[in-house]
Amino acid sequence: MLIEHLNHRLREVESQVLCRERRTAESPCAPRQQVTVAGMGQGAATRSMLAFCSNDYLGLANHPALIEAIAEGARRFGVGSGASHLISGHSRAHALLEDELARWMSRSIPQARVLTFCTGYMANLALLTALGDGNATIIADRLNHASLVDGALLARARLQRYPHGRLDLLKSHLSRCDTPIKLIVSDAVFSMDGDLADLPALLALADAHDAWLVIDDAHGFGVLGERGGGSLSHFGLRSERLIYMGTLGKAAGLGGAFVAAHPTVIDWLVQSARSYIYTTAAPPAIAHALCASLRLIEGEEGEARRARLRQLIGMLRDRLTTLIQRFSHLGWRLTDSATAIQSLIVGDNAAALALASSLDAQDLWVPAIRPPTVPTGTARLRITLSAAHTSQDVQILADALSRAAAGGRQ
Ligand SMILES: *Cc1c(COP(=O)(O)O)cnc(C)c1O
């Protein structure tokens, strides 16, 4: 019965052309990748593709110094932690990483302390379930990442959601809110549009209403702000009311996540956050390599990589803007984003898919994103850039899009 039921559901997904399939990378994460795609009835084929889909914004996922650091970490600490943090899995490598991140984050959060997690998804579940008890209200932007949504749904707190960026509505939720604890929860960089939340205004509202501001900076940490310090540093914000979640599998190139906050918040997470307590600590070699990654991010090489990324973002926006004007009848538009996430909104689901497959035919890998991940009528290509791309790569993409747009006109 279960199998029949699931087969039925799977056929439904297929019939809505929403079926997701995986491709298998045969080479490290990089703009040029060997990729195996399950063929349509003709077996699997391996191709070399130019990819614009990773979150490896600084191109560190395959950096020789980090490969060396993870190997060294494995020699020093072994390959597994062996247990959860509260039993015996918390190693010196984890402790050093926490200290290092706390030093970074103390620029934005006075006396910041840090707790590391295996993934950002787990960090967000931890935060919202541990802080969002029956005394709390969570007030969240509707376009927040799925992990924040799931955390809020699992929490015992009351949940209010406001339409994307509508701080006037957030404000009225705050003024009506009568629980003693109020948590404003937002992505810093929204993952589908690449736009930045108005963090100064959010913090001002938190101050005015005695609320706390929980920020998910998955796409900002390492990329934005002074020395890659993230979105809080980008806006020059500093406050005890900030609770910050950064991920380490995107710009930092490895994997994992951390929460930085007031020491008491961190103490409470250690005592109560189930997705911290009931899971095996990440391999210490990863923590060891992350310390090396932080040094790269903060140093001259990080500065150079961020400068290169900014230059590529400028170039891509410039090319896309020209293209949109030239083919204005297609009704494409670009989201208002200064980050490495650049979305070309096509509108119609089938048109977005056709565009992605036209690029695919030219060996370019750019994902089409459709509802329900994004609002109806805003199906798009979600292009992500990395410092590892070259300007020639960006030009190849622009030319391919231009050919696709010209083809679409006939
Ligand atoms: C990727 C992402 C996460 C999840 O982080 P993982 O470490 O990949 O689990 C959380 N929030 C946002 C906004 C993200 O983009």
Side-chain angles (χ1 to χ4, degrees), residues 92-173:
R92 176 54 61 196
H94 296 115
L96 287 173
L97 176 61
E98 286 181 357
D99 290 349
E100 191 61 16
L101 286 165
R103 181 177 67 74
W104 274 49
M105 294 314 299
S106 60
R107 304 179 211 160
S108 309
I109 305 174
Q111 318 166 50
R113 277 210 7 236
V114 160
L115 198 63
T116 61
F117 290 81
C118 293
T119 71
Y121 189 97
M122 292 165 79
N124 279 340
L125 288 194
L127 255 182
L128 296 186
T129 55
L131 304 183
D133 64 14
N135 293 309
T137 303
I138 291 172
I139 313 174
D141 190 294
R142 269 200 186 277
L143 291 193
N144 279 348
H145 188 262
S147 56
L148 288 174
V149 175
D150 292 0
L153 292 174
L154 261 181
R156 289 178 201 280
R158 256 185 263 165
L159 174 60
Q160 309 274 0
R161 296 170 78 189
Y162 56 94
H164 181 48
R166 288 293 302 275
L167 301 197
D168 55 327
L169 299 179
L170 163 62
K171 187 173 172 192
S172 57
H173 283 308

Side-chain angles (χ1 to χ4, degrees), residues 96-312:
L96 287 173
L97 176 61
E98 286 181 357
D99 290 349
E100 191 61 16
L101 286 165
R103 181 177 67 74
W104 274 49
M105 294 314 299
S106 60
R107 304 179 211 160
S108 309
I109 305 174
Q111 318 166 50
R113 277 210 7 236
V114 160
L115 198 63
T116 61
F117 290 81
C118 293
T119 71
Y121 189 97
M122 292 165 79
N124 279 340
L125 288 194
L127 255 182
L128 296 186
T129 55
L131 304 183
D133 64 14
N135 293 309
T137 303
I138 291 172
I139 313 174
D141 190 294
R142 269 200 186 277
L143 291 193
N144 279 348
H145 188 262
S147 56
L148 288 174
V149 175
D150 292 0
L153 292 174
L154 261 181
R156 289 178 201 280
R158 256 185 263 165
L159 174 60
Q160 309 274 0
R161 296 170 78 189
Y162 56 94
H164 181 48
R166 288 293 302 275
L167 301 197
D168 55 327
L169 299 179
L170 163 62
K171 187 173 172 192
S172 57
H173 283 308
L174 282 166
S175 9
R176 281 198 309 267
C177 179
D178 57 7
T179 54
I181 297 166
K182 308 172 185 75
L183 302 169
I184 303 171
V185 178
S186 179
D187 282 16
V189 177
F190 286 88
S191 38
M192 289 304 139
D193 284 10
D195 57 321
L196 272 167
D198 186 347
L199 297 184
L202 286 173
L203 184 59
L205 282 173
D207 273 329
H209 294 269
D210 190 20
W212 291 76
L213 179 56
V214 177
I215 290 301
D216 175 338
D217 202 21
H219 303 283
F221 180 75
V223 187
L224 300 176
E226 194 192 336
R227 306 233 153 234
S231 300
L232 299 177
S233 148
H234 171 82
F235 284 110
L237 297 178
R238 183 172 163 85
S239 165
E240 285 204 343
R241 289 185 183 281
L242 289 163
I243 299 173
Y244 180 91
M245 199 290 293
T247 63
L248 302 167
K250 290 173 178 156
L254 281 121
F258 68 96
V259 171
H262 187 283
T264 307
V265 171
I266 298 298
D267 284 342
W268 179 244
L269 291 179
V270 173
Q271 298 308 316
S272 70
R274 298 170 67 85
S275 59
Y276 183 73
I277 300 172
Y278 298 107
T279 194
T280 301
I286 295 180
H288 182 76
L290 279 166
C291 290
S293 169
L294 291 178
R295 287 193 292 275
L296 276 180
I297 291 173
E298 187 176 38
E300 264 174 45
E301 180 164 351
E303 291 288 85
R305 283 173 184 258
R306 279 183 291 278
R308 156 137 220 88
L309 182 61
R310 277 194 299 274
Q311 180 211 336
L312 294 172

Side-chain angles (χ1 to χ4, degrees), residues 362-374:
Q362 303 178 60
D363 291 327
L364 290 171
W365 188 1
V366 187
I369 311 277
R370 288 156 292 163
T373 308
V374 293

Side-chain angles (χ1 to χ4, degrees), residues 5-61:
H5 171 67
L6 296 183
N7 274 325
H8 176 70
R9 303 277 314 259
L10 283 168
R11 278 194 301 275
E12 276 175 2
V13 171
E14 269 168 40
S15 70
Q16 294 159 4
V17 210
L18 290 175
C19 201
R20 296 158 184 242
E21 59 174 39
R22 297 175 302 172
R23 295 175 164 187
T24 307
E26 308 287 353
S27 59
C29 173
R32 296 196 184 264
Q33 249 182 332
Q34 293 292 117
V35 183
T36 302
V37 184
M40 297 285 185
Q42 55 209 357
T46 301
R47 297 196 275 152
S48 173
M49 301 198 78
L50 175 56
F52 292 90
C53 31
S54 88
N55 305 308
D56 180 25
Y57 299 127
L58 298 182
L60 298 183

